């Protein structure tokens, strides 16, 4: 299929592009390179530099080929920042997505795979979290994702656009073949922060609380390898195409890892001390989040293959260790 990947130069987007190319799809990337990186682009994929807030630029990209599907990963994703700057998240995440949907209507593109998030659920009332779990986002970022899921339902009903909304849990790790190595800029998520502390890009890891009701007191999350996530996009695209029906699914590993477990494994694999300090809890952090991905298994035949602790850390370390010698260049 001819696929336009919006946000395809980003951390998850670049892995999705690789999976699509491997599956034989023809890929064009649309990205403003605000957090995406040029080094994440593949030479056998097309590229348009443009912004989803610029409908004229979007239209130009849509005119370039008869795209049969869009994969949309272009969004701001820092939950904490979204509470301080909701305007930024309204404009980019919501208005940007509406621009994409309207351009799809104009150019008669009938399929979209959308990056949703486990943040739509908020504080869990039961574990594991399945798709029917109540949705009460704790942060504005999660609210934007939930709103977009609702827009997608309306555009399906009114315009026949079939969608797959993929609710990612904690995306982590790097390409299993080591082909993608663009680092995220100013990351706030746990694993890149651990890696930055390991190579000296930051002084230390701050552990946000060790008094949670979890086996070692630190927060437990469902980390899903980005290569697994990428495979989920290809399967979801095939599903909505073959069945001509929309789909909303969780993508998670169904297993929980604590901050301490990841830190210890990172120390072991890197051989670095990785300075860490226990600090207070981060507001809005639940003790434990774990997905049920039974629906993704049933509908897509998807399961996480690379989301074990060792593989998550090893694939990340393979990318970050190269920065050790280049820190002061
Ligand atoms: C993981 C654990 C922290 C940083 C976020 C988004 C969510 C979704 C996934 C995309 C927690 C602890 C972290 C640090 C720490 N994103 N931690 N020190 O908050 O579970 O989820 O990413 O859709 O919407 O909110 O991920 O990586 O920030 O935290 O101790 O410096 O690591 O307290 O237990 P989170 P995270």
């Amino acid at each position: 299929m001819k696929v336009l990947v919006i946000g395809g130069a980003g951390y998850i987007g670049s892995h999705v592009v690789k999976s699509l190319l491997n599956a034989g799809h023809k890929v064009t990337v649309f990205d403003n390179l605000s957090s995406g990186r040029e080094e994440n682009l593949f030479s056998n994929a097309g590229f348009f530099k443009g912004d989803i807030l610029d409908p004229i630029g979007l239209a130009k990209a849509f005119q370039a080929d008869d795209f049969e599907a869009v994969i949309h990963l272009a969004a701001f994703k820092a939950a904490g920042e979204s509470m301080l700057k909701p305007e930024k998240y309204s404009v980019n995440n919501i208005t940007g997505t509406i621009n994409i949907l309207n351009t799809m209507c104009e150019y008669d593109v009938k399929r979209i795979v959308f990056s949703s998030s486990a943040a739509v659920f908020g504080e869990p009332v039961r574990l594991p979290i399945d798709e029917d779990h109540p949705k009460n986002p704790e942060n504005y970022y999660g609210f934007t994702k939930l709103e977009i899921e609702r827009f997608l339902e309306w555009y399906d009903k009114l315009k026949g656009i079939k969608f797959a909304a993929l609710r990612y849990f904690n995306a982590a790790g790097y390409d299993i073949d080591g082909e993608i190595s663009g680092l995220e800029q100013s990351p706030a998520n746990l694993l890149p922060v651990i890696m930055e502390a390991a190579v000296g890009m930051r002084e230390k890891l701050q552990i946000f609380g060790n008094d949670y009701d979890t086996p070692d007191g630190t927060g437990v999350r469902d980390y899903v390898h980005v290569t697994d996530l990428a495979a989920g996009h290809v399967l979801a695209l095939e599903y909505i195409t073959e069945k001509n029906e929309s789909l909303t699914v969780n993508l998670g590993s169904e297993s929980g890892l604590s901050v301490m477990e990841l830190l210890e494994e990172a120390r072991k694999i890197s051989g670095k001390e990785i300075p860490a300090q226990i600090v207070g809890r981060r507001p809005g952090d639940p003790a434990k989040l774990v997905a049920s991905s039974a629906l993704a298994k049933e509908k897509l035949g998807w399961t996480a293959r690379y989301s074990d602790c060792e593989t998550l850390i090893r694939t990340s370390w393979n990318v970050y260790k190269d920065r050790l010698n280049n820190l002061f260049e």
Side-chain angles (χ1 to χ4, degrees):
M1 280 170 88
K2 294 176 181 172
V3 188
L4 183 64
V5 183
I6 301 177
Y11 166 59
I12 300 176
S14 54
H15 289 83
V16 170
V17 169
K18 174 173 168 166
S19 291
L20 287 167
L21 290 169
N22 283 349
H25 297 287
K26 186 180 176 209
V27 180
T28 302
V29 168
F30 184 91
D31 200 301
N32 68 2
L33 299 180
S34 68
S35 56
R37 289 177 168 262
E38 222 154 338
E39 65 181 293
N40 282 345
L41 294 171
F42 285 80
S43 56
N44 50 343
F47 175 57
F48 271 88
K49 186 167 183 221
D51 199 301
I52 56 175
L53 296 179
D54 168 24
I56 296 170
L58 262 180
K60 274 195 189 134
F62 274 75
Q63 283 158 14
D65 211 337
D66 310 320
F67 293 110
E68 296 158 273
V70 165
I71 297 190
H72 169 31
L73 313 100
F76 293 128
K77 60 162 187 165
E81 182 194 50
S82 75
M83 300 297 277
L84 303 170
K85 299 180 183 167
E87 311 90 321
K88 178 173 167 181
Y89 284 72
S90 301
V91 171
N92 192 74
N93 293 11
I94 296 182
T95 309
T97 302
I98 290 174
N99 286 344
I100 292 170
L101 287 169
N102 289 350
T103 312
M104 288 174 67
C105 294
E106 199 180 330
Y107 291 91
D108 204 27
V109 181
K110 295 286 191 201
R111 300 173 193 101
I112 182 167
V113 178
F114 169 66
S115 304
S116 189
S117 168
V120 301
F121 297 112
E123 180 75 29
V125 296
R126 59 169 193 267
L127 292 173
I129 299 173
D130 59 21
E131 287 74 5
D132 296 330
H133 182 284
K135 280 114 209 140
N136 292 307
E138 279 272 314
N139 51 63
Y140 193 75
Y141 162 74
F143 168 78
T144 66
K145 293 287 175 180
L146 189 56
E147 283 302 288
I148 295 164
E149 286 190 5
R150 293 181 174 142
F151 287 123
L152 291 172
E153 280 162 21
W154 278 106
Y155 275 74
D156 178 353
K157 261 193 285 201
L158 304 177
K159 304 293 293 192
I161 292 178
K162 298 299 161 199
F163 68 86
L166 306 181
R167 293 180 180 148
Y168 311 155
F169 279 67
N170 291 55
Y174 270 85
D175 179 36
I176 202 79
D177 309 316
E179 263 189 85
I180 299 172
S181 57
L183 296 188
E184 284 197 90
Q185 298 172 47
S186 318
N189 291 119
L190 178 62
L191 200 41
V193 169
I194 291 177
M195 290 293 131
E196 288 196 356
V199 295
M201 287 166 81
R202 71 171 74 207
E203 195 192 334
K204 62 187 173 210
L205 164 71
Q206 294 192 313
I207 298 173
F208 299 143
N210 67 346
D211 56 355
Y212 284 105
D213 184 15
T214 59
D216 63 26
T218 63
V220 168
R221 295 289 181 275
D222 182 318
Y223 295 90
V224 54
H225 195 283
V226 66
T227 295
D228 285 329
L229 278 185
H233 290 71
V234 179
L235 293 169
L237 179 58
E238 289 167 359
Y239 179 92
I240 61 174
T241 306
E242 279 160 26
K243 305 268 183 207
N244 196 34
E245 75 183 23
S246 296
L247 173 75
T248 300
V249 281
N250 291 347
L251 294 181
S253 66
E254 302 194 309
S255 59
L257 290 170
S258 73
V259 176
M260 266 334 273
E261 282 176 298
L262 280 169
L263 176 61
E264 288 305 337
E265 187 72 17
R267 284 174 168 158
K268 200 168 102 194
I269 288 177
S270 67
K272 301 283 165 197
E273 182 206 345
I274 313 185
Q277 178 195 14
I278 312 281
V279 297
R281 291 182 179 195
R282 187 172 62 177
D285 262 355
K288 184 171 177 183
L289 292 178
V290 181
S292 164
S293 284
L295 191 67
K297 187 169 187 191
E298 181 198 321
K299 297 267 186 185
L300 305 177
W302 180 90
T303 46
R305 296 169 60 196
Y306 303 113
S307 300
D308 58 285
C309 190
E310 198 265 339
T311 308
L312 291 166
I313 301 283
R314 185 173 43 77
T315 55
S316 297
W317 179 241
N318 281 344
V319 170
Y320 275 87
K321 73 177 193 303
D322 291 340
R323 303 312 202 266
L324 261 177
N325 304 323
N326 302 329
L327 277 181
F328 303 105
E329 278 178 7

